[in-house]
């Protein structure tokens, strides 16, 4: 690993440069090695840390159940042993390509990247795994101390320290991260209010029945949830510390800590400077190729064809997607054969409510609720034209695994079986002897 304290040699001109040293970037480097690439790999990231996991930051770390020692992906010696030159604390500010840029001739993807501190990183192959940046609220007072974001390790450390001393916490945004933070704060005995501008919680990701369940469940646990409510300003004291949150109806919620969890925007600045096509993310194809076929991109920064149906484009922000797409990108860079993409999956732990999602529900025209939401153990299965697309399982790991297996193996899960909690879903799978549980 290379930090700021010692000079970094230029990346060997024959190697791969991966910009963005997190979930996707690390996986891309590891997959290159697994696929037999022995040429130099440089993994450069602007954060001053070796790649680490983000999911625990809003869960175990924020609630105090764990510290940061367990978030690193790899032991420090791993990078050197694997021949991966990890450059941390360096933001790539520009990239110049030396090939013709159309991917049709050798060296088309080669060039040199420049970092903010003036380092030059030459490369023969380039991959962008630059992730997403948290959206900020453009309202007065957004810069006050105590108005916190939660995307990276430094955010989490700041937030946890402030949470310790806070009594009244307002969470702006009722998506996954906001609700995880709210659950952690509530679990620590804080007075918590969630303010969501949409009419339901997690509205971009789950069906109405799930939103309604989570609304009731968070309220049962003592969290106040305001829907269809917009924040218009934050108020502060003379020392520049937040004291309140002004709502669109004029109400002022007292607050000594605010967590802003209103989504993340893909980091497309480098890709745009390279002339790559970008929409809501860097546009890539099923092989993780950008509009310059010599350059790949993976993870939260991309928008891609739907991984299950191939129809339309989606931008997925999940560990599973970052890992799978990075592996695809590595294969593409090496000219290795395309491998089948695994079924997407995701999880969100909001206190004791463990949500697991298998598949993608986009485009569903029907859903089945399996079990009783009031029991806090149930599952929602989504169908299109009678075909199972996805399931959201709350505190139901067996159903989640059964659905993931069914989707992986292409086994039908009849609606009637899904609707009857008395019929174990895995009994549907045993009808197909080749159905094995995914790892
Ligand atoms: C608090 C939190 C909780 C989450 N919980 C879950 C969960 O429970 N389940 C789940 O599936 N997913 C979860 N996620 C999402 C998951 O962590 C992301 O999908 C995953 O991190 C995406 O990996 P990535 O490598 O594509 O992008 P990122 O993790 O965003 O990493 C991109 C990296 O690139 C760096 N970078 C950007 N531009 C440059 C540049 N020009 N030069 C150098 N470096 C650059 C960034 O600093 C960053 O370190 C969570 C995310 C957060 C923030």
């Amino acid at each position: 690993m290379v930090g700021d304290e010692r000079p970094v040699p230029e990346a060997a001109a024959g190697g791969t440069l991966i910009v963005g040293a997190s979930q996707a970037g690390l996986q891309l480097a590891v997959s290159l090695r697994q696929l037999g690439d022995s040429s130099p790999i440089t993994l450069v990231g602007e954060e001053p840390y070796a790649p680490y996991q983000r999911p625990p930051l809003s869960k175990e770390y924020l609630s105090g159940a764990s510290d940061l020692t367990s978030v690193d992906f790899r032991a420090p010696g791993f990078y050197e042993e694997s021949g991966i030159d990890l450059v941390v604390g360096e933001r790539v500010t520009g990239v110049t390509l030396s090939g013709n840029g159309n991917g049709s001739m050798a060296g088309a993807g080669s060039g040199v990247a420049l970092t903010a501190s003036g380092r030059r990183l030459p490369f023969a192959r380039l991959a962008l795994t630059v992730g997403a940046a948290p959206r900020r609220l453009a309202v007065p007072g957004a810069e006050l101390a105590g108005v916190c974001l939660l995307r990276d390790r430094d955010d989490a450390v700041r937030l946890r320290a402030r949470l310790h001393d806070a009594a009244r916490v307002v969470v702006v945004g009722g998506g996954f991260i906001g609700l995880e933070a709210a659950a952690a704060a509530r679990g620590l005995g804080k007075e918590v209010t969630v303010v969501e501008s949409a009419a339901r919680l997690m509205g971009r990701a789950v069906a109405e029945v799930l939103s309604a369940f989570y609304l009731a469940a968070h309220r049962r646990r003592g969290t106040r949830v305001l829907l269809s409510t917009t924040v218009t300003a934050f108020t502060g004291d003379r020392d520049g510390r937040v004291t309140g949150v002004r709502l669109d109806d004029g109400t002022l919620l007292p607050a000594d800590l605010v967590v802003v969890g209103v989504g993340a925007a893909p980091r497309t600045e480098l890709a745009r400077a390279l002339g790559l096509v970008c929409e809501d993310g860097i546009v890539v194809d099923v092989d993780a190729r950008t509009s310059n076929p010599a350059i790949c991109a993976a993870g939260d920064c991309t928008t891609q064809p739907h991984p299950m149906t191939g129809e339309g484009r989606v931008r997925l922000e999940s560990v599973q997607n970052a890992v799978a797409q990075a592996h695809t990108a590595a294969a593409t860079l090496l000219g290795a054969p395309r491998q089948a993409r695994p079924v997407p999956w995701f999880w969100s732990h909001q206190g004791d409510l463990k949500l697991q999602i298998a598949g993608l529900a986009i485009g569903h025209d029907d859903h089945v609720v399996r079990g009783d939401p009031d029991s806090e153990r149930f599952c929602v299965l989504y169908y299109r034209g009678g075909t199972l697309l996805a399931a959201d399982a709350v505190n139901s790991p067996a159903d989640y695994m059964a659905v993931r297996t069914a989707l992986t193996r292409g086994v039908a899960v009849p609606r009637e079986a899904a609707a009857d909690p008395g019929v174990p879903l895995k009994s549907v799978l045993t009808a197909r002897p080749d159905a094995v549980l995914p790892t």
Side-chain angles (χ1 to χ4, degrees), residues 18-26 44-47 52-59 73 90-94 129-133 150-152 176-177 180 267 269-270 298-301 316-322 345-349:
I18 304 168
V19 183
S22 180
Q23 188 87 51
L26 172 61
V44 56
E46 69 178 338
E47 293 185 62
Y52 62 88
Q53 306 169 61
R54 297 188 197 279
L57 301 181
S58 51
K59 305 175 182 71
F73 282 116
E90 283 284 2
R91 183 164 56 89
V92 171
T93 51
T129 52
V130 286
L150 181 49
R151 177 75 195 177
D152 63 28
F176 292 121
I177 289 177
E180 288 178 5
R267 299 274 304 259
E269 61 271 17
L270 274 183
D300 282 16
C301 62
L316 300 174
E317 296 175 66
S318 73
V319 165
Q320 184 275 335
N321 175 66
W345 51 264
F346 181 80
W347 79 98
S348 172
H349 293 174

Side-chain angles (χ1 to χ4, degrees), residues 1 24 159 221 330 364 394:
M1 180 176 112
L159 182 55
R221 285 161 176 75
H364 72 273
V394 178

Side-chain angles (χ1 to χ4, degrees), residues 98-183:
S98 48
N100 69 0
N102 67 9
S104 62
M105 56 183 274
S110 67
V112 61
L114 190 67
T115 72
S117 74
R119 288 177 181 165
R120 287 165 52 80
L121 302 169
F123 56 86
R125 290 187 294 244
L126 177 65
L128 301 177
T129 52
V130 286
R135 293 186 201 277
R136 291 162 191 274
L137 279 185
V139 299
E143 303 308 322
L144 288 166
V147 177
C148 298
L149 301 168
L150 181 49
R151 177 75 195 177
D152 63 28
R153 196 174 164 135
D154 290 344
D155 292 338
V157 169
R158 268 191 298 270
L159 182 55
R160 189 165 109 162
R162 287 186 182 277
L163 187 56
H164 184 264
D165 299 330
R168 290 170 300 194
V169 180
V170 173
V171 176
V172 186
F176 292 121
I177 289 177
L179 293 176
E180 288 178 5

Side-chain angles (χ1 to χ4, degrees), residues 380-399:
V380 183
L381 292 89
Y382 300 89
Y383 289 83
R384 183 171 61 180
T387 302
L388 180 66
L389 293 183
D392 298 336
V394 178
N395 293 333
S396 304
D399 281 354

